[in-house]
């Protein structure tokens, strides 16, 4: 039983269905959020998605970002190439989250058309040591009959403010940061092609990423919460710092957010497990959260297969918990570095920082190391228990 039909829950569902397990996905929302939201898919995640035969379709629809460029005061500080991070996927793929979820959901439904139950709000959890169960509140419109859903395991992939984590009473360690952002998607004037551009300005960073459909995302760092979202306000902020004016009338998405991180004290509670943002919320800057969740799921899938085959959880779950906690800590540190580079600086310190970044970018070895860190190579799961393969036709787990 997987609670949450976001990208991480859907990925795990598809991987387990691919291996022959019986899976149900309980989702509280009755429909999909159509905003672009998370857009960056890193090479290790694309390699995982390829096991579901989805990577090729995603690459065909998305925009492969092969180069990042840092600019300050209208001058190029340095560039970073992703050419050495992966033989198969030497880029970060830009694809709106709603399309990513759509492709994953289609794959789940191809395996089992009844696997996803929408309008299902989980209000209780049970675990007697041999089985687990999710208690579902009946929906008002009858989209979910409610009741008690039993399974070998329950996986909570229900987001950063996970209700299931609260039901389990799992404490979290939270950090709040002095970083606030306003972002939006606008028509792309085509000045930067398919490059990601970071404008390192005295007032704070402005980030710019290409999107499919001739769009470009603009993200502006603020010193305080943005309050109301306004496309005109965002366009003017971008103009003030970069000299570029996104056309406010072409805006298709606006979002304001303040950054925090959370790490659950533990993610395995008997036959209930926390996954993705429910286990660790990471700053969206750098696009690591969704990718980290996929890599969590890729590490968890073989353990669930093995546990179902043996009819009891093994010690691998504790190893999984420790390994993925370490990966989350590394991802959080990388996100903190990304945010630090984007904070305002007085002109002398900004000049010094830009000089250091330029020197680092000019070194092939440093450039390659930085690109690997940025694209989450250090977060790839190391656990590879027997009992699951990477092929789409394998059936190594009992139904």
């Amino acid at each position: 039983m997987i609670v949450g039909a976001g990208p991480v829950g859907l990925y795990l569902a598809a991987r387990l269905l691919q291996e022959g397990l019986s899976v149900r996905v309980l989702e509280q929302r009755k429909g999909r959020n159509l905003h672009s939201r998370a857009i960056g898919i890193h090479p290790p995640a694309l390699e995982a998605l390829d096991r579901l035969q989805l990577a090729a379709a995603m690459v065909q629809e998305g925009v492969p970002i092969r180069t990042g460029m840092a600019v300050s005061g209208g001058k190029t500080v340095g560039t970073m190439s992703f050419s050495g991070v992966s033989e198969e996927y030497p880029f970060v793929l830009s694809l709106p989250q709603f399309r990513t979820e759509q492709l994953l959901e289609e794959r789940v439904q191809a395996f089992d058309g009844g696997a996803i139950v929408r309008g299902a709000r989980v209000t209780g959890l049970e675990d007697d040591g041999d089985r687990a169960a999710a208690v579902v509140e009946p929906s008002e419109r009858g989209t979910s009959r409610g009741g008690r859903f039993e399974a070998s395991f329950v996986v909570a992939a229900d987001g950063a403010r996970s209700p299931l984590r609260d039901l389990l009473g799992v404490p979290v360690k939270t950090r709040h940061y002095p970083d606030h952002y306003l972002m939006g998607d606008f028509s792309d004037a085509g000045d930067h092609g398919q490059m990601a551009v970071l404008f390192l300005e005295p007032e704070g960073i402005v980030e710019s990423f290409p999107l499919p459909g001739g769009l470009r995302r603009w993200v502006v760092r603020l010193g305080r919460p943005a309050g109301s979202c306004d496309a005109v306000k965002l366009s003017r902020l971008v103009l003030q710092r970069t000299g570029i004016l996104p056309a406010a009338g072409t805006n298709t998405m606006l979002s304001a957010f303040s950054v925090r991180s959370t790490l659950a004290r533990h993610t395995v509670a008997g036959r209930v497990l926390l996954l993705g943002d429910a286990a660790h919320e990471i700053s969206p800057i750098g696009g690591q959260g969704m990718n980290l969740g996929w890599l969590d799921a890729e590490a968890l899938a073989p353990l669930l297969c093995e546990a179902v085959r043996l009819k009891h959880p093994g010690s691998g779950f504790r190893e999984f918990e420790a390994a993925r906690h370490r990966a989350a800590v590394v991802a959080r540190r990388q996100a903190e570095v990304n945010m630090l580079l984007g904070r305002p600086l007085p002109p002398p310190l900004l000049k010094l920082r830009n000089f250091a970044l330029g020197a680092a970018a000019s070194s092939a070895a440093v450039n390659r190391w930085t690109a690997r860190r940025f694209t989450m190579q250090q977060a790839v799961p190391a656990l590879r228990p027997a009992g699951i393969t990477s092929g789409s036709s394998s059936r190594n787990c009992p139904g």
Side-chain angles (χ1 to χ4, degrees), residues 100-163:
T100 298
E101 290 183 359
Q102 196 171 42
L103 289 166
L104 283 164
E105 184 167 332
E106 288 171 1
R107 180 63 79 221
V108 169
Q109 291 177 335
F111 287 122
D112 180 354
I116 301 172
V117 181
R118 290 195 174 274
R121 180 171 174 264
V122 176
T123 58
L125 289 171
E126 300 174 8
D127 180 357
D128 65 7
D130 293 321
R131 299 278 290 176
V135 180
V136 176
E137 181 180 73
S139 63
E140 295 178 1
R141 298 184 180 180
T143 53
S144 170
R145 56 186 169 82
R148 193 171 172 277
F149 290 72
E150 285 195 4
S152 299
F153 294 89
V154 174
V155 178
D158 56 341
R161 290 168 172 77
S162 168

Side-chain angles (χ1 to χ4, degrees), residues 203-222:
E203 303 90 348
I205 196 170
V206 176
E207 303 183 20
S208 179
F209 308 99
L211 284 164
L215 298 174
R216 181 165 280 268
R217 171 165 294 179
W218 292 90
V219 187
V220 175
R221 196 262 183 198
L222 305 173

Side-chain angles (χ1 to χ4, degrees), residues 247-335:
T250 67
N251 176 260
T252 58
M253 185 281 299
L254 274 172
S255 179
F257 60 94
S258 300
V259 179
R260 71 171 195 173
S261 69
T262 61
L263 292 176
R265 296 288 186 179
H266 58 269
T267 57
V268 178
R271 290 182 173 269
V272 183
L273 304 100
L274 304 179
L275 191 66
D277 284 352
H280 41 64
E281 179 185 6
I282 306 296
S283 165
I285 300 303
Q288 299 191 93
M290 180 172 66
N291 292 269
L292 187 64
W294 279 329
L295 298 178
D296 289 349
E298 181 63 18
L300 181 59
L303 295 174
L304 289 172
C305 277
E306 187 75 1
V308 170
R309 183 178 69 83
L310 297 175
K311 300 187 184 303
H312 66 80
S315 61
F317 285 107
R318 290 301 174 190
E319 297 172 14
F320 161 83
E321 180 179 55
R324 301 318 297 164
H325 178 82
R326 288 193 297 270
V329 169
V330 171
R332 182 178 66 180
R333 288 174 184 160
Q334 183 61 48

